[in-house]
Amino acid sequence: QVQLQESGPGLVKPSQTLSLTCTVTGGSITTNLYYWSWIRQPPGKGLGWIGYIAYSGDTNLSPSLKSRTSISRDTSKNQFTLQLSSVTPEDTAVYYCARGDERGYDYWGQGTQVTVSS
């Protein structure tokens, strides 16, 4: 059973960098054909895709966030990390990590609330 768990600070000040880590158990982030995504849901809005890091290490980022986003991984810890720079209150959301393939997402983390506020 694959499990994903997000971790990171729940409060970030405007203009700082948000950093979240997703720890994966029960499966390797290097397993062929899986994509490891970050997704967020602002209050009162729908889910928004941020980007993914593939099993190969390649990344694909949302065009609207690309200039502020990086996704990396530590294969020795089976973790992948989101960094979102220059945050504003509009980046306040519940952030999820998820595993997906061409058919969609099959495993999700429980989500972590991140609030951007001074």
Side-chain angles (χ1 to χ4, degrees):
Q1 177 79 0
V2 176
Q3 293 184 317
L4 295 88
Q5 179 67 59
E6 305 90 349
S7 60
L11 180 65
V12 183
K13 288 183 167 54
S15 81
Q16 292 187 341
T17 296
L18 178 163
S19 184
L20 296 174
T21 296
C22 184
T23 300
V24 180
T25 57
S28 172
I29 62 173
T30 61
T31 299
N32 275 1
L33 304 182
Y34 286 116
Y35 300 84
W36 303 89
S37 292
W38 286 100
I39 297 155
R40 68 182 184 179
Q41 185 169 28
K45 297 184 179 180
L47 294 170
W49 177 71
I50 300 170
Y52 68 69
I53 186 163
Y55 59 97
S56 60
D58 293 335
T59 60
N60 188 16
L61 305 173
S62 169
S64 65
L65 296 171
K66 189 173 185 177
S67 64
R68 301 194 289 128
T69 304
S70 68
I71 299 176
S72 59
R73 68 181 185 175
D74 185 335
T75 56
S76 68
K77 296 180 180 179
N78 216 37
Q79 296 175 332
F80 61 105
T81 297
L82 167 70
Q83 290 197 309
L84 181 66
S85 64
S86 304
V87 296
T88 73
E90 286 65 43
D91 294 308
T92 294
V94 177
Y95 285 75
Y96 298 92
C97 56
R99 188 183 84 166
D101 60 17
E102 60 183 10
R103 296 166 295 181
Y105 300 108
D106 57 358
Y107 290 101
W108 292 72
Q110 65 182 20
T112 187
Q113 172 70 46
V114 177
T115 301
V116 179
S117 175
S118 55

